Amino acid sequence: DARVTQTPRHKVTEMGQEVTMRCQPILGHNTVFWYRQTMMQGLELLAYFRNRAPLDDSGMPKDRFSAEMPDATLATLKIQPSEPRDSAVYFCASGGTSGVYNEQFFGPGTRLTVL
Amino acid sequence: DAKTTQPNSMESNEEEPVHLPCNHSTISGTDYIHWYRQLPSQGPEYVIHGLTSNVNNRMASLAIAEDRKSSTLILHRATLRDAAVYYCILRPQRGAQKLVFGQGTRLTINP
């Protein structure tokens, strides 16, 4: 049963610290998305990649956030330095190879708390 | 991104049908209608999608109005496990594959 995996599942850190979240997309999927969910803003797209190339990162605060895909099996989202307002659940999703019909498969999320 | 409007919350009873409405009056001719749901403490999951014709799958049915300005997600026999937030999302046929989530409808199922 293919699934998107995310690590860590929970992270508590102090303001100013670096945070790295990792995602393993479903094998064979070529599109990877990062979403953030908060009570106030709901689910919002931060960035997404196709074939490891960034296509859209307009939802991401550029000064502190960075997203990369070092290889086809790993996507990372890094926050440096972290701030309390970054506290949220971060979801990674992956999608199939072509077409708009492809559903996105979401991971279980990383719950980040910045103190 | 075309906007959708859904009720904030709905309530139903177990084993009864549930009809979740979605208005999308500004939909364009090439926008697909997608539904995702998010169970408590989980990531969203795909439910169903359609363009013009009604669609059925093992999870639900999607009824699309003739003018495509509204649609209804139908759960034929709700179970407690169907309690979730349901999102109606428009995705263009071409261009970005990203999902733009609204606030969704929080569905409560009573035993």
Side-chain angles (χ1 to χ4, degrees), chain B residues 79-97:
Chain B
T79 69
L80 296 177
R81 197 193 173 278
D82 292 320
V85 179
Y86 287 78
Y87 297 97
C88 170
I89 301 166
L90 301 182
R91 284 178 71 182
Q93 184 177 27
R94 303 210 181 281
Q97 294 188 14

Side-chain angles (χ1 to χ4, degrees), chain B residues 58-79:
Chain B
R58 63 176 181 82
M59 289 181 70
S61 296
L62 176 60
I64 302 172
E66 196 168 331
D67 63 4
R68 300 207 330 124
K69 293 185 184 300
S70 65
S71 60
T72 303
L73 180 70
I74 303 165
L75 308 178
H76 295 285
R77 284 182 80 237
T79 69

